[in-house]
Amino acid sequence: LKWIGPDKGDQVMKGQVVAIIDAPEIEEQYQQAAADYKIKKITFDRLRNVWKESPDVIAKQDVDVAEAAYEGARTLMQQRAVFRDYAKVRAPYDGTITARFADPGALIQVATSSATTAIPLFTIMDLNTVRVYANVSQDDSPWVVPGQTRAAVRVQELPGPSFSGTITRSTLALDPSTRSLLVEVDLPNTDHALRPSTFAEMV
């Protein structure tokens, strides 16, 4: 890890560069592709100009071959540029950094084969909307209709009125071990009064 910017509690914007990974082999591949593109473009431009001025001096096929090589080199350079940009880690959405797991100098694992074996750099949460989970007993589950059933959420530590919303979704199937139905309510949280992982009561 070459550079890492935000820390816990910092706000980030979608697309913001939050870390840079040092990948010299990718940079070298890009520079090689850029140099190959440059020389093949020069070669194509020269052959095309000669053919336009003196069609008898050079065959059109040679110009076409040079153009194909130039187009291939340009595509490869663009591909290497995309890989090069992967070394810049960007925030996927607006949110708050709630955890940071690496510091400059740390070795970053490749997560192409399995994302579970690689350690993440950050945990980013969008706190403007929180998702509240609750288990509804089997007796009350028939009354749950996503999009229609209203619910109120109360947090003991927060004085004042409860947070109200509509049940957004449910699993539609009871958990066989608890005979309860898992439901979710998405609540607006622009003031960030509700904190992730807080215990609450839903009625």
Side-chain angles (χ1 to χ4, degrees), residues 139-154:
D139 295 339
D140 297 329
S141 63
W143 307 105
V144 174
V145 179
Q148 297 182 17
T149 305
R150 299 288 297 174
V153 177
R154 288 197 297 261

Side-chain angles (χ1 to χ4, degrees), residues 124-200:
I124 302 177
M125 293 186 179
D126 179 5
L127 302 180
N128 292 327
T129 301
V130 295
R131 179 173 294 177
V132 182
Y133 297 90
N135 291 301
V136 178
S137 66
Q138 178 176 334
D139 295 339
D140 297 329
S141 63
W143 307 105
V144 174
V145 179
Q148 297 182 17
T149 305
R150 299 288 297 174
V153 177
R154 288 197 297 261
V155 179
Q156 184 177 358
E157 295 79 12
L158 296 177
S162 59
F163 302 87
S164 61
T166 303
I167 292 179
T168 310
R169 64 191 65 82
S170 75
T171 56
L172 300 179
L174 299 179
D175 186 336
S177 60
T178 62
R179 300 301 174 187
S180 61
L181 180 71
L182 179 65
V183 299
E184 301 176 8
V185 177
D186 293 341
L187 295 176
N189 189 40
T190 54
D191 58 354
H192 297 177
L194 294 172
R195 304 292 178 87
S197 301
T198 299
F199 284 103

Side-chain angles (χ1 to χ4, degrees), residues 92-107:
Y93 47 80
D94 297 349
T96 303
I97 303 292
T98 58
R100 182 173 127 172
F101 302 99
D103 292 306
L107 181 63

Side-chain angles (χ1 to χ4, degrees), residues 36-80:
D36 186 55
Y37 163 76
K38 182 178 180 180
I39 189 64
K40 287 183 177 177
K41 183 178 186 303
I42 293 174
T43 301
F44 166 63
D45 289 340
R46 287 176 176 171
L47 290 176
R48 181 178 57 181
N49 291 336
V50 170
W51 179 78
K52 286 182 177 180
E53 294 176 1
S54 304
D56 298 334
V57 176
I58 187 172
K60 181 63 167 62
Q61 181 179 356
D62 293 338
V63 179
D64 294 339
V65 170
E67 183 179 11
Y70 152 69
E71 293 288 352
R74 182 175 63 178
T75 301
L76 180 60
M77 184 188 68
Q78 292 172 344
Q79 183 185 50
R80 297 300 186 193

